[in-house]
Amino acid sequence: SRHDYVVESLNSMPGVKCLNGQGAFFAFPDVSELIENINEVDNDLELADHMLEEAQVAVVPGSAFGSPGFIRISFATSRETLEEAMTRITNYINDYSKA
């Protein structure tokens, strides 16, 4: 249920596309469109740093896995923590995406 919640939440965010996972406890969304829409970042590495600083959410850049333009998010935590994280990411996107 946490997998479904995270994937559905990510897919509801502008500039984020996430496929269903195959049994892992990570989501691996494509954020390339989001990167283009945030003035402060130019790539997934900068996005991960900026999200940590501004939204206080830790994600791993997809470049670490040979997939630039993606990020990795673990959902191996409580539903409450995931809800807080998804809210923070949504607020971050709303605050930093180009109008």
Side-chain angles (χ1 to χ4, degrees):
S1 69
R2 289 175 295 169
H3 164 274
D4 294 343
Y5 171 74
V6 169
V7 170
E8 288 172 16
S9 295
L10 291 167
N11 281 323
S12 73
M13 298 175 192
V16 180
K17 297 176 188 131
C18 189
L19 299 175
N20 285 319
Q22 299 288 327
F25 51 92
F26 297 102
F28 205 63
D30 179 347
V31 292
S32 54
E33 185 179 326
L34 176 61
I35 291 167
E36 291 177 20
N37 290 327
I38 296 180
N39 290 322
E40 290 82 355
V41 300
D42 292 319
N43 56 53
D44 59 308
L45 299 167
E46 291 179 8
L47 179 66
D49 287 342
H50 199 254
M51 287 179 75
L52 181 59
E53 188 174 311
E54 299 299 324
Q56 299 180 346
V57 175
V59 299
V60 180
S63 294
F65 305 96
S67 296
F70 287 74
I71 57 174
R72 187 168 101 163
I73 299 173
S74 172
F75 50 85
T77 189
S78 71
R79 175 70 179 239
E80 181 179 330
T81 299
L82 292 172
E83 289 172 359
E84 178 66 24
M86 294 299 106
T87 297
R88 288 181 185 192
I89 294 170
T90 298
N91 291 340
Y92 170 82
I93 291 171
N94 291 337
D95 289 346
Y96 287 97
S97 287
K98 297 174 187 170

